[in-house]
Structure formats: structure tokens, C-alpha cells
């Protein structure tokens, strides 16, 4: 599994509310296509953009945009976070 866990911070919450984007910590070896494929398979929502970056702790973080504006909130509610 490429996804490890959702990354929920104050900044991530602001991105969710303003831009409908979610952040996930993923495996360091994961490609953008791997992340997109797994998110679409697990949650059944179309992913439009995946941006990745390395955190200061050496973990890979993915910022994900969805085609549906409400998809991000729905996914977090399914996970029991919001």
C-alpha cells in the first residue's frame, strides 16, 4: 500500500477548506501515478492533481486535488477525521 496515513495539521485543514485538497504521508518510493491510482481505487473519487514533497523528517508528503469539490471532505469523514 502506497498511502500510509492522512496528514492533518492546521495548514492542511486550511488547504482543505479553501482549496479542497488533502495531504497524505506516502511511501518514499511512491510515484505520483501510484498515489493517484491508489486514491482512486480506495476512495472511488477522480484525482486531478498530485504534488509531492519531502518533509523535514525525510517522509514523502502528497498534496492531492480532486475533480469533485466535496470529495476531500467526504474522504476525511469516511476516515473519521472530520
Amino acid at each position: 500500500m502506497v498511502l500510509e496515513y492522512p496528514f492533518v495539521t492546521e495548514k492542511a485543514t486550511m488547504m482543505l477548506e479553501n482549496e479542497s485538497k488533502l495531504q497524505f504521508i506516502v511511501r518514499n518510493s511512491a510515484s505520483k501515478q501510484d498515489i493517484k491510482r491508489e486514491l482512486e481505487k480506495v476512495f472511488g473519487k477522480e484525482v486531478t492533481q498530485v504534488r509531492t514533497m519531502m518533509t523535514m523528517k525525510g517522509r514523502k508528503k502528497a498534496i492531492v486535488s480532486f475533480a469533485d469539490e466535496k470529495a476531500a471532505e467526504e474522504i476525511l469523514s469516511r476516515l473519521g477525521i472530520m
Side-chain angles (χ1 to χ4, degrees), residues 58-74:
R59 305 298 312 258
K60 190 177 222 178
K61 178 169 67 172
I63 301 173
V64 184
S65 300
F66 296 92
D68 181 16
E69 291 181 10
K70 299 294 179 186
E73 291 178 16
E74 183 181 326

Side-chain angles (χ1 to χ4, degrees), residues 16-71:
L16 170 67
E17 293 172 355
N18 298 333
E19 304 171 36
S20 296
K21 294 182 180 179
L22 288 181
Q23 296 184 20
F24 289 90
I25 297 296
V26 298
R27 286 193 174 169
N28 287 353
S29 61
S31 69
K32 291 180 181 184
Q33 286 298 325
D34 293 338
I35 297 165
K36 179 179 179 177
R37 196 175 312 115
E38 185 160 327
L39 281 168
E40 289 178 343
K41 179 179 147 191
V42 171
F43 298 112
K45 301 291 181 183
E46 183 183 349
V47 174
T48 56
Q49 182 182 32
V50 177
R51 294 174 44 216
T52 58
M53 64 184 72
M54 296 301 289
T55 66
M56 295 297 286
K57 295 181 180 181
R59 305 298 312 258
K60 190 177 222 178
K61 178 169 67 172
I63 301 173
V64 184
S65 300
F66 296 92
D68 181 16
E69 291 181 10
K70 299 294 179 186

